[in-house]
Amino acid sequence: MIYNMYIFDRHCQCIYYHDWHRGHTAKAAFDQHSDPLASHHSGGGSTTTTTTMADPRQGMNMSLEEEGKLVYGVVYSLRNLVKKLGKSHDGFIAYKTSHYKLHYYETLTGLKFVLNSDPGVESLQSALRQIYTQIYVELVVKNPLAGTNTGEPINPETMGTEGFRNGVDRFVRSLTMFDTL
């Protein structure tokens, strides 16, 4: 089972979040605000500025912004630990706990793709690479409104475009391990 996905830019900013099994979706995490994790857009058209989610796996309440920072901190720390202990640049690709497995893929430009799944799922690094090359590059990098060609930080509003969200959603749902335990 695949739980959620984050994309972080080279400035440590979470520019994309999608959840498949906790009730939040990419639309819910990204609305017209500059901070994609700070607000929640409900289906009724109103926006509330504090989003708290209950994680059924952990029994904790945590805002999307706090969770994004926590995930980035874990990835940053583990990646640096693996670099110091090993000689390989591609040393950190995943880690597993008794509750979940975190899959990691970093591009040469510093984008970090993180996907959380059930601990029994095999490596999803190739799936993350496909999301980058076939969906992100095609729908974000080649989009002149995204700001990637101007050197500006990536616009989270562009990251939340329907085409990108739908492309990621379709791709992840097509994976055989999407809904299996």
Side-chain angles (χ1 to χ4, degrees):
M1 178 177 291
I2 295 176
Y3 300 129
N4 55 27
M5 186 177 107
Y6 301 84
I7 301 175
F8 298 95
D9 67 8
R10 65 177 182 239
H11 305 291
C12 311
Q13 172 94 20
C14 184
I15 58 173
Y16 182 78
Y17 173 78
H18 194 116
D19 190 326
W20 286 276
H21 290 99
R22 286 194 304 194
H24 290 279
T25 63
K27 279 187 183 179
F30 293 89
D31 62 2
Q32 300 302 317
H33 299 285
S34 61
D35 185 353
L37 297 177
S39 62
H40 173 77
H41 184 266
S42 65
S46 63
T47 302
T48 58
T49 56
T50 56
T51 298
T52 303
M53 61 185 176
D55 183 353
R57 296 181 309 271
Q58 300 294 329
M60 297 172 54
N61 287 331
M62 185 181 303
S63 74
L64 290 172
E65 181 177 15
E66 290 170 343
E67 183 175 310
K69 288 178 182 179
L70 184 62
V71 168
Y72 187 83
V74 167
V75 166
Y76 180 81
S77 298
L78 288 174
R79 187 190 62 171
N80 286 339
L81 177 69
V82 169
K83 278 184 181 178
K84 288 180 182 179
L85 293 176
K87 295 178 183 3
S88 172
H89 229 268
D90 296 336
F92 176 59
I93 57 171
Y95 82 90
K96 181 168 82 169
T97 71
S98 61
H99 291 95
Y100 69 94
K101 185 174 182 179
L102 183 142
H103 306 266
Y104 177 74
Y105 175 71
E106 184 171 356
T107 68
L108 293 175
T109 58
L111 286 173
K112 294 153 189 72
F113 290 73
V114 176
L115 195 132
N116 291 310
S117 71
D118 186 69
V121 172
E122 294 297 320
S123 176
L124 292 173
Q125 190 171 35
S126 64
L128 289 172
R129 187 178 305 114
Q130 281 184 281
I131 290 171
Y132 171 67
T133 59
Q134 296 174 6
I135 302 170
Y136 183 85
V137 169
E138 293 299 318
L139 298 174
V140 177
V141 173
K142 293 182 180 180
N143 181 348
L145 301 176
T148 55
N149 297 328
T150 62
E152 301 170 10
I154 296 170
N155 183 349
E157 292 176 17
T158 306
M159 284 293 301
T161 60
E162 289 297 319
F164 181 74
R165 265 186 273 153
N166 290 340
V168 169
D169 188 52
R170 268 193 314 273
F171 178 79
V172 170
R173 287 179 187 276
S174 74
L175 298 172
T176 57
M177 70 287 298
F178 172 72
D179 215 7
T180 58
L181 286 175

